[in-house]
Amino acid sequence: MRARAAAAAAPEREARTAMLTYAIGDVHGRTDLLARLLDRVNQALAVACIGLVLAYRSSSNLAAAYGIAVSGTMTITTVLYYEVMRIRWNWPIWKAGTDALDALPPLLGVPVGLKDLVNLEGTPTTAGSRILEGYVSPYDATIAARLKQAGAVIVGKTNMDEFAMGSSTEFSAYKKTVNPWDLERIPGGSSGGSSAAVAAYHVPLAIGTDTGGSIRQPASLTGIVGLKPMYGRVSRYGIVAFASSLDQVGPFARTVADLADVLGAIAGHDERDSTSYPAEVPNYLAEIETRKGPWKLGIPKEYFGAGLDPEVAAAVERAVAFYRSQGCEVSEVSLPHTQYCLDTYYIIATAEASSNLARYDGIRFGRRVVDPADIDDLYMRTRAEGFGAEVKRRIILGTYVLSSGYYDAYYLRAQKVRTLIREDFLKVYQDVDALITPTSPVPAFKLGEKSDPLAMYLCDIYTIGVNLAGLPAISVPSAS
């Protein structure tokens, strides 16, 4: 009853409660996850979560501007209310003492945004495409289920490039997401809605996917932290697929400690994902505290050539100087097959996309045209009307490289080069602990500035290598 009364409160009370919520979130300093403060008393949890309902309700216009809840900001309040009640009754802290407190889930009460290709039961999942308009998820993706189990409050879906194909979130079929630091500029992509929501302090955590840099690049352009885990570390079950051998789910946050907390909650083996890595999940937060360095760091010489913006180069140089001042040993290394990364990636990714997107035919789920003349007309018109220009471009390219007479010349050769790229990384890691590279070759550009698809593809040039190698990578801010 109290929750319902609070949801119907006057605007003045809404403002006061919203301020209380943001104070609990400590948006002026490090976040350290709301659970740091909310995991001690049930009343604090109740007040904070009710406040979040009101805060999100009153800021729905801002939320829409940053791409959160693509499927409609009207649903945020309802989702939050029921999530709060679920958490409160499943975790009645008032019943017991210290043991119960220690057993609380790690993300209890923490608001999280989901990229709109994560299936969440009972909610629309569009993957940013008209072809999935009206599709409502009948089940939870593994990552959604694990977030719920960890006590997180899933507040809504975030905008994205259609089927994760893009580097600016301009290719969403619904809305364009803007960069919170400059509303005329892009937030990066394809997970731009998630990065913008975190950077704008709408949520402390958000989930994205990274096929060729789609977590790290938007994190870089919005000044937050983004992690692409090792391939197979986080389950892909329930994730709308782009390129299955490259896709990986990962989190956005404002601190590395927050990333460590959420990764511990979502990582781990999943029998429903055949590519899931069967290994124990360590305590990542404890690892941060115990493994202090100093580290041996490598700088790949191939990443600092033509095409790198001077502003970005200067920021990386300042970061290198900082690490040297902390006692790290920094040396130049070589990844000789870097020059083939872009070509290799776009052959493999588009080939896999062509195969994965064949399922959208107007019959099984999603959009279907009205009054088709025959089955061929149903297929062709549904896909022509449902897919955007960038998705069509990649399907055509992928179908071509898989076609008879071209499979060996393109796709098979690209897979062989992929092996060489992975071997380059593994060889370098015998001598260094980590690599320092730029995330994006350029700062955030203005909306509509890059109309050439090739220029857009080059935005991924520094991030796609680790996807091809299946390795983990993180983007952290290096400039103000």
Side-chain angles (χ1 to χ4, degrees):
M1 292 297 292
R2 289 180 182 176
R4 291 175 184 172
E12 294 83 359
R13 187 173 177 185
E14 292 190 14
R16 288 199 300 273
T17 315
M19 285 192 288
L20 170 63
T21 302
Y22 287 119
I24 291 174
D26 186 19
V27 300
H28 300 293
R30 61 184 231 154
T31 311
D32 276 349
L33 300 180
L34 294 176
R36 299 270 203 277
L37 298 175
L38 298 181
D39 66 357
R40 289 294 175 261
V41 286
N42 196 33
Q43 287 304 311
L45 173 62
V47 171
C49 287
I50 292 170
L52 279 168
V53 173
L54 300 176
Y56 276 93
R57 184 210 230 175
S58 61
S59 65
S60 61
N61 289 335
L62 284 174
Y66 294 127
I68 192 167
V70 172
S71 52
T73 56
M74 293 289 287
T75 63
I76 293 180
T77 301
T78 306
V79 170
L80 268 170
Y81 173 75
Y82 285 109
E83 283 293 290
V84 169
M85 299 312 294
R86 177 184 64 78
I87 291 170
R88 288 198 66 195
W89 292 114
N90 286 348
W91 302 98
I93 331 175
W94 50 269
K95 271 190 171 183
T98 306
D99 291 343
L101 293 175
D102 291 340
L104 285 174
L107 303 180
L108 184 60
V110 182
V112 179
L114 293 183
K115 187 176 182 178
D116 195 28
L117 48 54
V118 180
N119 277 278
L120 182 65
E121 185 178 2
T123 65
T125 299
T126 70
S129 179
R130 292 291 180 194
I131 206 163
L132 280 174
E133 191 171 16
Y135 171 73
V136 176
S137 304
Y139 69 101
D140 279 338
T142 295
I143 188 170
R146 287 180 177 175
L147 285 169
K148 289 180 179 179
Q149 186 178 10
V153 180
I154 299 174
V155 300
K157 298 291 191 70
T158 59
N159 198 15
M160 57 178 286
D161 285 304
E162 185 178 6
F163 284 105
M165 299 181 191
S167 302
S168 65
T169 317
E170 293 175 289
F171 296 128
S172 169
Y174 299 96
K175 294 182 180 178
K176 287 183 171 62
T177 302
V178 296
N179 193 314
W181 298 103
D182 184 341
L183 303 187
E184 294 183 354
R185 296 183 181 274
I186 58 113
S190 61
S191 309
S194 292
S195 67
V198 173
Y201 288 93
H202 279 115
V203 286
L205 296 173
I207 298 300
T209 58
D210 193 309
T211 307
S214 291
I215 290 176
R216 291 159 290 150
Q217 187 250 17
S220 173
L221 299 187
T222 55
I224 60 172
V225 188
L227 173 69
K228 175 219 169 294
M230 182 186 74
Y231 184 76
R233 174 51 89 183
V234 180
S235 172
R236 292 185 298 109
Y237 176 78
I239 306 298
V240 178
F242 165 15
S244 300
S245 74
L246 298 164
D247 294 344
Q248 185 56 68
V249 183
F252 292 92
R254 290 190 289 272
T255 71
V256 174
D258 287 357
L259 280 187
D261 264 348
V262 70
L263 182 62
I266 64 176
H269 181 61
D270 180 11
E271 292 182 352
R272 295 174 296 183
D273 177 3
S274 62
T275 63
S276 180
Y277 185 57
E280 183 180 347
V281 179
N283 185 331
Y284 293 108
L285 201 57
E287 292 287 319
I288 291 175
E289 298 299 325
T290 56
R291 299 178 64 186
K292 296 288 187 181
W295 309 104
K296 291 183 177 180
L297 304 176
I299 302 178
K301 63 182 182 181
E302 291 83 3
Y303 283 57
F304 293 86
L308 180 61
D309 186 277
E311 186 179 347
V312 176
V316 177
E317 288 168 5
R318 286 194 297 271
V320 170
F322 168 79
Y323 287 120
R324 280 201 173 106
S325 72
Q326 300 301 304
C328 294
E329 180 184 330
V330 182
S331 59
E332 185 178 83
V333 299
S334 178
L335 299 171
H337 293 93
T338 296
Q339 60 180 314
Y340 306 115
C341 281
L342 198 67
D343 298 338
T344 301
Y345 170 83
Y346 276 99
I347 289 174
I348 293 173
T350 57
E352 294 183 7
S354 172
S355 175
N356 280 326
L357 270 60
R359 71 193 69 176
Y360 304 107
D361 53 14
I363 295 177
R364 281 167 281 193
F365 43 74
R367 184 187 186 99
R368 178 184 296 181
V369 294
V370 179
D371 297 328
D374 52 32
I375 189 69
D376 289 337
D377 183 50
L378 171 65
Y379 287 159
M380 290 188 288
R381 282 176 50 209
T382 295
R383 291 168 67 83
E385 295 176 16
F387 289 136
E390 180 59 28
V391 173
K392 291 175 183 175
R393 184 180 296 115
R394 299 197 192 197
I395 289 174
I396 291 170
L397 179 57
T399 304
Y400 177 80
V401 301
L402 289 176
S403 60
S404 177
Y406 297 101
Y407 178 91
D408 290 348
Y410 291 102
Y411 184 75
L412 188 60
R413 184 172 296 182
Q415 291 288 15
K416 291 178 180 178
V417 176
R418 180 182 191 172
T419 301
L420 297 176
I421 292 167
R422 176 176 170 81
E423 289 175 352
D424 284 348
F425 278 98
L426 297 180
K427 182 179 179 181
V428 163
Y429 280 128
Q430 293 176 3
D431 301 318
V432 299
D433 299 304
L435 299 175
I436 300 178
T437 74
T439 302
S440 171
V442 294
F445 49 87
K446 289 190 175 182
L447 292 162
E449 184 177 321
K450 291 188 183 293
S451 57
D452 178 10
L454 214 51
M456 192 73 78
Y457 297 166
L458 288 170
C459 293
D460 299 330
I461 194 165
Y462 298 133
T463 54
I464 53 181
V466 293
N467 293 83
L468 290 167
L471 299 172
I474 187 171
S475 178
V476 296
S478 61
S480 58

